[in-house]
Amino acid sequence: MGSGSSAVTVVLETPPLALYVHFPWCVRKCPYCDFNSHTLHGDLEERRYIEALQCDLATQAPAVAGREVVSVFLGGGTPSLFSPRAVAAFLACAGRHLALAADLEVTLEANPGTIERGRFAEYRAAGVNRVSLGAQSFDDGRLAALGRIHCAEETRRAAAELHAAGLENFNIDLMYGLPGQDVAGALRDIDEALALCPSHLSHYQLTIEAGTVFAGRPPTLPTDEATDEMLDACRSRLDRAKFTQYEISAYALAGRRCRHNCNYWLFGDYLGVGAGAHGKLTSASGGEVVRTTQVREPRRYISSAGRGTFTRTPVPACELPFEFMLNALRLIEGFEVETFTGRTGRPWESVAGKMADLVGEGLLVATGACYRASPLGLSFLNEVLLRFVTEIPKTAGQSRLSTALQPAPALSKRALFTGVGGGNVK
Ligand SMILES: C[S@@+](CC[C@H](N)C(=O)[O-])C[C@H]1O[C@@H](n2cnc3c(N)ncnc32)[C@H](O)[C@@H]1O
Ligand code: SF4
């Protein structure tokens, strides 16, 4: 890949590779959710969907021949609507088409409202070794207001099932800044979650996304000041419980960071299979980074998957620094200069001036060859990222890049929820 204006030559490296698999149905669509998830009407077409996934994987696998896969993420939607047998069939197929690492991380997203007794033990036998449980809150009134299909007690039961199945490595998803919530309420949710002994906690500020039911009929949310106070209080509580914040929304016990998401944030590669799944692949020899997108609508996906229907879009070289920063600056520890150069193929000189300016303004911190956002920079990450948008040519008005900043208002204290490549990051 050319370096544009600079004479310095940088070689693209082949980064670690992961696999994302999308399951697009839920028992009921939540009013805040803009993921590619659809209320299930009638019977789940489990067999046909798994067959479509297998065809999709078989079609895409040759592009990564010989490369080791370090993690698999079964996300949604609600993958736990699918039987352990179906998950086992898909994972066996993945083993035939891909070189899976010996210590492969395999995460399954589960909705507490879909977990029957003994189910997690069967998922574990199928090859799942990590679970992400969508708790959201432990206040039954708030869960109802969020349109969730489960109560707090069902989340507690699901966590007990996880421990009984020997799946100690599990995440709990919580949201904060909920309608009617105050700091004490947000802290109660943290305490309830910690009492279930997870190894990881994802803590998302509720955002009102375009096209959702909440966007049409917005609930009254706490003020920005109150929400910031919740975040600070919850972060301290988690820190005291030895849950280290390693990304804007992610906290983990030692050794329990989500390998799959870390790979996204360090601009690694991933195959994306399933309805609407995104992928990112680097061709070091071809000198390009390519994004893939599968057909979004589940029925169309079932009838077309495996026939090469996904689109391949090379990322213009000038957009790579922004895409890299959008992901890597979410990490509390930041990134090394050589990760930037190796994974974007761009010389450091292409961003060095902007990085120095941001360090000077106290928004970034440089330690040797490592750069990270300062606490101030993390609070105003949108503003930091906007500095890297200037490299985009005017013609990129319709690219994904221009939409990538939309989820959160610029210059606000709210953090970006999804990164580019998006929709897969959980
Ligand atoms: C795609 S969902 C998958 C989990 C599973 N479907 C569930 O909801 O139980 C991943 C997580 O994103 C978070 N999330 C989804 N929409 C959100 C929004 N508008 N604001 C903040 N967090 C959101 C929720 O915490 C959710 O558990
Ligand atoms: S939040 Fe989870 S359960 Fe709710 S609609 Fe989205 S994907 Fe489905």
Side-chain angles (χ1 to χ4, degrees):
M1 175 174 307
S3 61
S5 56
S6 171
V8 182
T9 307
V10 178
V11 180
L12 260 179
E13 68 174 38
T14 303
L17 175 68
L19 168 66
Y20 176 78
V21 190
H22 194 73
F23 295 82
W25 291 284
C26 297
V27 172
R28 190 167 72 209
K29 179 83 180 174
C30 302
Y32 55 83
C33 177
D34 78 337
F35 285 90
N36 184 28
S37 58
H38 308 262
T39 297
L40 179 64
H41 298 290
D43 291 338
L44 183 68
E45 292 193 64
E46 179 168 281
R47 194 179 53 79
R48 290 189 69 208
Y49 193 73
I50 295 291
E51 281 171 7
L53 286 179
Q54 290 172 331
C55 281
D56 189 358
L57 183 61
T59 309
Q60 295 200 51
V64 296
R67 292 178 64 183
E68 189 181 67
V69 173
V70 297
S71 61
V72 178
F73 198 101
L74 309 170
T78 306
S80 54
L81 282 174
F82 282 69
S83 67
R85 220 170 60 164
V87 170
F90 176 78
L91 291 175
C93 171
R96 287 192 296 276
H97 288 285
L98 302 169
L100 302 178
D103 61 344
L104 184 76
E105 176 189 89
V106 184
T107 303
L108 173 95
E109 273 187 341
N111 184 313
T114 63
I115 298 305
E116 295 153 20
R117 203 167 174 76
R119 185 102 161 175
F120 281 131
E122 293 176 43
Y123 283 130
R124 187 179 174 198
V128 170
N129 54 27
R130 184 174 183 276
V131 166
S132 179
L133 205 55
Q136 319 309 349
S137 173
F138 287 85
D139 180 311
D140 284 342
R142 288 213 171 87
L143 287 171
L146 290 171
R148 299 293 297 180
I149 59 166
H150 57 90
C151 61
E153 194 47 36
E154 283 171 281
T155 305
R156 291 187 200 102
R157 232 177 287 146
E161 286 281 328
L162 282 167
H163 286 289
L167 281 166
E168 251 77 51
N169 190 18
F170 72 93
N171 167 60
I172 289 183
D173 276 346
L174 281 183
M175 292 194 289
Y176 69 99
L178 303 177
Q181 195 176 43
D182 58 11
V183 176
L187 281 172
R188 260 197 310 277
D189 276 347
I190 296 285
D191 289 341
E192 290 260 19
L194 291 177
L196 303 182
C197 301
S199 58
H200 192 287
L201 200 140
S202 298
H203 197 225
Y204 302 113
Q205 180 183 345
L206 174 65
T207 51
I208 305 300
E209 305 289 354
T212 60
V213 170
F214 274 2
R217 267 184 283 117
T220 308
L221 298 179
T223 61
D224 283 354
E225 291 68 33
T227 309
D228 289 347
E229 223 183 295
M230 286 180 212
L231 177 59
D232 291 343
C234 292
R235 201 188 268 143
S236 310
R237 183 71 52 102
L238 284 163
D239 188 56
R240 256 186 287 144
K242 304 220 172 341
F243 276 71
T244 305
Q245 185 184 18
Y246 68 99
E247 189 265 346
I248 287 181
S249 308
Y251 302 76
L253 291 177
R256 293 304 200 179
R257 296 179 183 193
C258 175
R259 210 182 295 166
H260 186 83
N261 283 344
C262 285
N263 186 52
Y264 288 147
W265 294 320
L266 282 175
F267 217 47
D269 279 0
Y270 48 97
L271 275 181
V273 305
H278 296 274
K280 167 192 173 267
L281 294 174
T282 304
S283 165
S285 56
E288 62 176 2
V289 175
V290 172
R291 296 225 173 257
T292 64
T293 312
Q294 256 299 1
V295 171
R296 195 174 154 87
E297 206 278 312
R299 226 149 280 281
R300 276 191 57 219
Y301 174 78
I302 287 179
S303 54
S304 67
R307 300 203 204 109
T309 45
F310 60 92
T311 55
R312 276 179 95 260
T313 315
V315 184
C318 64
E319 294 186 6
L320 286 167
F322 171 81
E323 291 216 9
F324 180 92
M325 297 300 171
L326 183 62
N327 288 285
L329 286 176
R330 299 176 65 100
L331 288 167
I332 304 302
E333 289 166 6
F335 64 89
E336 304 268 349
V337 168
E338 67 177 31
T339 308
F340 172 87
T341 52
R343 295 187 184 183
T344 63
R346 302 279 289 166
W348 183 247
E349 288 70 21
S350 64
V351 293
K354 288 177 192 142
M355 298 299 282
D357 288 348
L358 288 162
V359 170
E361 292 165 45
L363 292 163
L364 296 184
V365 177
T367 315
C370 180
Y371 285 79
R372 62 180 170 84
S374 67
L376 184 70
L378 280 175
S379 292
F380 292 93
L381 196 55
N382 281 358
E383 187 173 0
V384 173
L385 294 171
L386 280 169
R387 302 289 180 92
F388 297 93
V389 177
T390 53
E391 286 211 12
I392 302 168
K394 292 250 180 311
T395 51
Q398 291 173 353
S399 81
R400 324 189 49 251
L401 205 55
S402 57
T403 57
L405 280 171
Q406 287 175 12
L411 312 186
S412 104
K413 205 173 175 206
R414 289 160 60 191
L416 286 165
F417 178 61
T418 36
V420 161
N424 293 352
V425 179
K426 304 293 170 67

Short mmCIF file of all heavy atoms in Angstrom, two decimals, residues 210-246:
data_model
loop_
_atom_site.label_atom_id
_atom_site.label_comp_id
_atom_site.label_asym_id
_atom_site.label_seq_id
_atom_site.Cartn_x
_atom_site.Cartn_y
_atom_site.Cartn_z
N ALA A 210 -30.89 5.93 16.24
CA ALA A 210 -31.86 6.26 15.19
C ALA A 210 -32.56 4.99 14.72
O ALA A 210 -31.95 3.92 14.64
CB ALA A 210 -31.13 6.90 14.01
N GLY A 211 -33.85 5.12 14.45
CA GLY A 211 -34.60 3.99 13.88
C GLY A 211 -35.16 3.03 14.92
O GLY A 211 -35.84 2.07 14.57
N THR A 212 -34.87 3.27 16.21
CA THR A 212 -35.40 2.37 17.24
C THR A 212 -36.72 2.94 17.79
O THR A 212 -37.06 4.10 17.54
CB THR A 212 -34.40 2.24 18.41
OG1 THR A 212 -34.19 3.54 18.98
CG2 THR A 212 -33.07 1.67 17.96
N VAL A 213 -37.43 2.11 18.53
CA VAL A 213 -38.68 2.56 19.15
C VAL A 213 -38.40 3.75 20.09
O VAL A 213 -39.14 4.73 20.11
CB VAL A 213 -39.34 1.39 19.93
CG1 VAL A 213 -40.51 1.88 20.77
CG2 VAL A 213 -39.79 0.31 18.95
N PHE A 214 -37.31 3.67 20.83
CA PHE A 214 -36.96 4.77 21.75
C PHE A 214 -36.67 6.07 21.00
O PHE A 214 -36.88 7.17 21.54
CB PHE A 214 -35.75 4.39 22.61
CG PHE A 214 -36.10 3.62 23.87
CD1 PHE A 214 -37.42 3.27 24.15
CD2 PHE A 214 -35.11 3.25 24.78
CE1 PHE A 214 -37.75 2.55 25.31
CE2 PHE A 214 -35.43 2.55 25.95
CZ PHE A 214 -36.74 2.20 26.21
N ALA A 215 -36.18 5.97 19.77
CA ALA A 215 -35.91 7.21 19.01
C ALA A 215 -37.23 7.88 18.67
O ALA A 215 -37.32 9.12 18.66
CB ALA A 215 -35.12 6.89 17.74
N GLY A 216 -38.26 7.08 18.42
CA GLY A 216 -39.57 7.64 18.08
C GLY A 216 -40.30 8.17 19.31
O GLY A 216 -41.00 9.18 19.25
N ARG A 217 -40.14 7.47 20.44
CA ARG A 217 -40.79 7.87 21.70
C ARG A 217 -39.73 7.87 22.79
O ARG A 217 -39.66 6.97 23.61
CB ARG A 217 -41.90 6.86 22.06
CG ARG A 217 -43.25 7.25 21.54
CD ARG A 217 -44.33 6.26 21.99
NE ARG A 217 -44.32 5.03 21.23
CZ ARG A 217 -44.08 3.82 21.73
NH1 ARG A 217 -43.82 3.65 23.00
NH2 ARG A 217 -44.09 2.75 20.96
N PRO A 218 -38.88 8.91 22.81
CA PRO A 218 -37.72 8.88 23.72
C PRO A 218 -38.14 8.89 25.19
O PRO A 218 -38.99 9.71 25.58
CB PRO A 218 -36.96 10.16 23.39
CG PRO A 218 -37.57 10.68 22.13
CD PRO A 218 -38.95 10.13 22.02
N PRO A 219 -37.58 8.00 25.99
CA PRO A 219 -37.83 8.05 27.43
C PRO A 219 -37.04 9.22 28.03
O PRO A 219 -36.12 9.74 27.39
CB PRO A 219 -37.25 6.72 27.92
CG PRO A 219 -36.21 6.37 26.91
CD PRO A 219 -36.63 6.96 25.60
N THR A 220 -37.43 9.65 29.22
CA THR A 220 -36.67 10.73 29.87
C THR A 220 -35.43 10.12 30.51
O THR A 220 -35.52 9.26 31.39
CB THR A 220 -37.53 11.42 30.94
OG1 THR A 220 -38.75 11.79 30.31
CG2 THR A 220 -36.84 12.64 31.51
N LEU A 221 -34.28 10.58 30.05
CA LEU A 221 -33.02 10.04 30.56
C LEU A 221 -32.45 10.95 31.64
O LEU A 221 -32.76 12.15 31.68
CB LEU A 221 -32.00 9.92 29.42
CG LEU A 221 -32.39 8.97 28.28
CD1 LEU A 221 -31.30 8.96 27.21
CD2 LEU A 221 -32.62 7.56 28.81
N PRO A 222 -31.59 10.40 32.50
CA PRO A 222 -30.91 11.25 33.49
C PRO A 222 -30.07 12.31 32.76
O PRO A 222 -29.71 12.13 31.60
CB PRO A 222 -29.99 10.27 34.23
CG PRO A 222 -30.50 8.91 33.91
CD PRO A 222 -31.21 8.98 32.60
N THR A 223 -29.75 13.39 33.44
CA THR A 223 -28.93 14.44 32.83
C THR A 223 -27.52 13.91 32.57
O THR A 223 -27.10 12.90 33.15
CB THR A 223 -28.79 15.65 33.78
OG1 THR A 223 -28.13 15.17 34.97
CG2 THR A 223 -30.13 16.25 34.14
N ASP A 224 -26.78 14.62 31.70
CA ASP A 224 -25.39 14.21 31.42
C ASP A 224 -24.56 14.19 32.70
O ASP A 224 -23.74 13.30 32.91
CB ASP A 224 -24.74 15.18 30.42
CG ASP A 224 -25.21 14.92 28.99
OD1 ASP A 224 -25.93 13.93 28.77
OD2 ASP A 224 -24.87 15.74 28.11
N GLU A 225 -24.81 15.18 33.57
CA GLU A 225 -24.03 15.26 34.82
C GLU A 225 -24.30 14.02 35.68
O GLU A 225 -23.39 13.39 36.22
CB GLU A 225 -24.38 16.51 35.64
CG GLU A 225 -23.94 17.82 35.02
CD GLU A 225 -24.71 18.18 33.74
OE1 GLU A 225 -25.91 17.84 33.63
OE2 GLU A 225 -24.10 18.78 32.83
N ALA A 226 -25.59 13.66 35.78
CA ALA A 226 -25.96 12.50 36.60
C ALA A 226 -25.35 11.22 36.01
O ALA A 226 -24.85 10.35 36.73
CB ALA A 226 -27.48 12.38 36.69
N THR A 227 -25.37 11.13 34.68
CA THR A 227 -24.83 9.93 34.02
C THR A 227 -23.32 9.84 34.23
O THR A 227 -22.77 8.77 34.48
CB THR A 227 -25.19 9.95 32.52
OG1 THR A 227 -26.58 10.18 32.40
CG2 THR A 227 -24.86 8.64 31.86
N ASP A 228 -22.64 10.98 34.12
CA ASP A 228 -21.19 10.99 34.36
C ASP A 228 -20.87 10.56 35.79
O ASP A 228 -19.91 9.83 36.05
CB ASP A 228 -20.61 12.39 34.12
CG ASP A 228 -20.62 12.75 32.64
OD1 ASP A 228 -20.83 11.84 31.81
OD2 ASP A 228 -20.44 13.94 32.31
N GLU A 229 -21.72 11.00 36.71
CA GLU A 229 -21.52 10.65 38.12
C GLU A 229 -21.69 9.13 38.31
O GLU A 229 -20.96 8.49 39.06
CB GLU A 229 -22.56 11.39 38.96
CG GLU A 229 -22.03 12.00 40.23
CD GLU A 229 -23.17 12.64 41.01
OE1 GLU A 229 -23.75 13.64 40.49
OE2 GLU A 229 -23.50 12.14 42.08
N MET A 230 -22.69 8.57 37.61
CA MET A 230 -22.90 7.12 37.69
C MET A 230 -21.66 6.39 37.20
O MET A 230 -21.19 5.43 37.82
CB MET A 230 -24.08 6.70 36.78
CG MET A 230 -25.43 7.06 37.30
SD MET A 230 -26.71 6.51 36.13
CE MET A 230 -27.92 7.81 36.42
N LEU A 231 -21.13 6.85 36.05
CA LEU A 231 -19.96 6.19 35.47
C LEU A 231 -18.79 6.23 36.45
O LEU A 231 -18.15 5.20 36.70
CB LEU A 231 -19.58 6.88 34.14
CG LEU A 231 -18.33 6.35 33.46
CD1 LEU A 231 -18.46 4.86 33.14
CD2 LEU A 231 -18.04 7.13 32.18
N ASP A 232 -18.53 7.40 37.02
CA ASP A 232 -17.40 7.51 37.95
C ASP A 232 -17.57 6.61 39.16
O ASP A 232 -16.64 5.91 39.58
CB ASP A 232 -17.24 8.98 38.41
CG ASP A 232 -16.76 9.86 37.26
OD1 ASP A 232 -16.26 9.31 36.27
OD2 ASP A 232 -16.92 11.10 37.36
N ALA A 233 -18.79 6.61 39.73
CA ALA A 233 -19.03 5.80 40.92
C ALA A 233 -18.92 4.32 40.61
O ALA A 233 -18.32 3.54 41.37
CB ALA A 233 -20.43 6.12 41.48
N CYS A 234 -19.47 3.90 39.47
CA CYS A 234 -19.43 2.47 39.10
C CYS A 234 -18.01 2.02 38.81
O CYS A 234 -17.58 0.93 39.19
CB CYS A 234 -20.33 2.21 37.90
SG CYS A 234 -22.08 2.42 38.27
N ARG A 235 -17.25 2.90 38.15
CA ARG A 235 -15.86 2.57 37.83
C ARG A 235 -15.05 2.34 39.11
O ARG A 235 -14.29 1.39 39.21
CB ARG A 235 -15.27 3.74 37.04
CG ARG A 235 -14.08 3.38 36.21
CD ARG A 235 -13.46 4.62 35.63
NE ARG A 235 -13.95 4.96 34.33
CZ ARG A 235 -14.16 6.21 33.89
NH1 ARG A 235 -13.97 7.24 34.69
NH2 ARG A 235 -14.57 6.44 32.67
N SER A 236 -15.26 3.21 40.10
CA SER A 236 -14.52 3.03 41.37
C SER A 236 -14.94 1.73 42.05
O SER A 236 -14.09 1.00 42.58
CB SER A 236 -14.80 4.17 42.35
OG SER A 236 -14.63 5.38 41.74
N ARG A 237 -16.24 1.47 42.03
CA ARG A 237 -16.72 0.24 42.68
C ARG A 237 -16.11 -0.99 42.00
O ARG A 237 -15.67 -1.94 42.65
CB ARG A 237 -18.26 0.19 42.57
CG ARG A 237 -18.95 -0.96 43.24
CD ARG A 237 -18.94 -0.91 44.75
NE ARG A 237 -19.41 0.32 45.36
CZ ARG A 237 -20.61 0.51 45.90
NH1 ARG A 237 -21.49 -0.46 45.90
NH2 ARG A 237 -20.92 1.66 46.48
N LEU A 238 -16.04 -0.97 40.69
CA LEU A 238 -15.47 -2.10 39.94
C LEU A 238 -13.97 -2.22 40.21
O LEU A 238 -13.43 -3.32 40.37
CB LEU A 238 -15.74 -1.93 38.44
CG LEU A 238 -17.19 -2.24 38.04
CD1 LEU A 238 -17.52 -1.66 36.67
CD2 LEU A 238 -17.42 -3.75 38.04
N ASP A 239 -13.31 -1.08 40.28
CA ASP A 239 -11.88 -1.07 40.54
C ASP A 239 -11.58 -1.72 41.89
O ASP A 239 -10.66 -2.52 42.02
CB ASP A 239 -11.40 0.39 40.49
CG ASP A 239 -9.89 0.46 40.54
OD1 ASP A 239 -9.26 -0.18 39.69
OD2 ASP A 239 -9.34 1.12 41.45
N ARG A 240 -12.41 -1.38 42.87
CA ARG A 240 -12.20 -1.95 44.21
C ARG A 240 -12.40 -3.47 44.21
O ARG A 240 -11.84 -4.19 45.01
CB ARG A 240 -13.14 -1.29 45.22
CG ARG A 240 -12.39 -0.29 46.10
CD ARG A 240 -13.27 0.26 47.18
NE ARG A 240 -14.24 1.18 46.62
CZ ARG A 240 -15.50 1.34 47.01
NH1 ARG A 240 -15.98 0.63 48.00
NH2 ARG A 240 -16.29 2.22 46.43
N ALA A 241 -13.25 -3.94 43.28
CA ALA A 241 -13.52 -5.38 43.19
C ALA A 241 -12.51 -6.08 42.26
O ALA A 241 -12.71 -7.22 41.86
CB ALA A 241 -14.94 -5.61 42.67
N LYS A 242 -11.43 -5.32 41.89
CA LYS A 242 -10.34 -5.85 41.04
C LYS A 242 -10.77 -6.09 39.60
O LYS A 242 -10.18 -6.90 38.88
CB LYS A 242 -9.74 -7.13 41.65
CG LYS A 242 -9.23 -6.97 43.08
CD LYS A 242 -7.94 -7.72 43.27
CE LYS A 242 -7.22 -7.48 44.57
NZ LYS A 242 -7.55 -6.31 45.34
N PHE A 243 -11.82 -5.40 39.20
CA PHE A 243 -12.19 -5.42 37.78
C PHE A 243 -11.54 -4.20 37.13
O PHE A 243 -11.94 -3.06 37.35
CB PHE A 243 -13.72 -5.35 37.61
CG PHE A 243 -14.38 -6.69 37.74
CD1 PHE A 243 -14.45 -7.32 38.98
CD2 PHE A 243 -14.91 -7.33 36.64
CE1 PHE A 243 -15.03 -8.56 39.11
CE2 PHE A 243 -15.49 -8.58 36.76
CZ PHE A 243 -15.56 -9.20 38.00
N THR A 244 -10.48 -4.46 36.35
CA THR A 244 -9.73 -3.38 35.73
C THR A 244 -10.41 -2.94 34.45
O THR A 244 -10.74 -3.77 33.61
CB THR A 244 -8.30 -3.88 35.41
OG1 THR A 244 -7.74 -4.38 36.61
CG2 THR A 244 -7.43 -2.75 34.86
N GLN A 245 -10.58 -1.63 34.32
CA GLN A 245 -11.13 -1.11 33.07
C GLN A 245 -10.03 -1.17 32.02
O GLN A 245 -8.96 -0.61 32.20
CB GLN A 245 -11.60 0.34 33.24
CG GLN A 245 -12.28 0.86 31.98
CD GLN A 245 -12.67 2.32 32.06
OE1 GLN A 245 -12.16 3.06 32.90
NE2 GLN A 245 -13.55 2.74 31.18
N TYR A 246 -10.28 -1.88 30.92
CA TYR A 246 -9.24 -1.94 29.87
C TYR A 246 -9.72 -1.35 28.56
O TYR A 246 -8.96 -1.21 27.61
CB TYR A 246 -8.74 -3.38 29.69
CG TYR A 246 -9.72 -4.37 29.12
CD1 TYR A 246 -9.68 -4.71 27.77
CD2 TYR A 246 -10.69 -4.98 29.91
CE1 TYR A 246 -10.57 -5.62 27.23
CE2 TYR A 246 -11.59 -5.89 29.38
CZ TYR A 246 -11.52 -6.21 28.03
OH TYR A 246 -12.40 -7.12 27.50
#
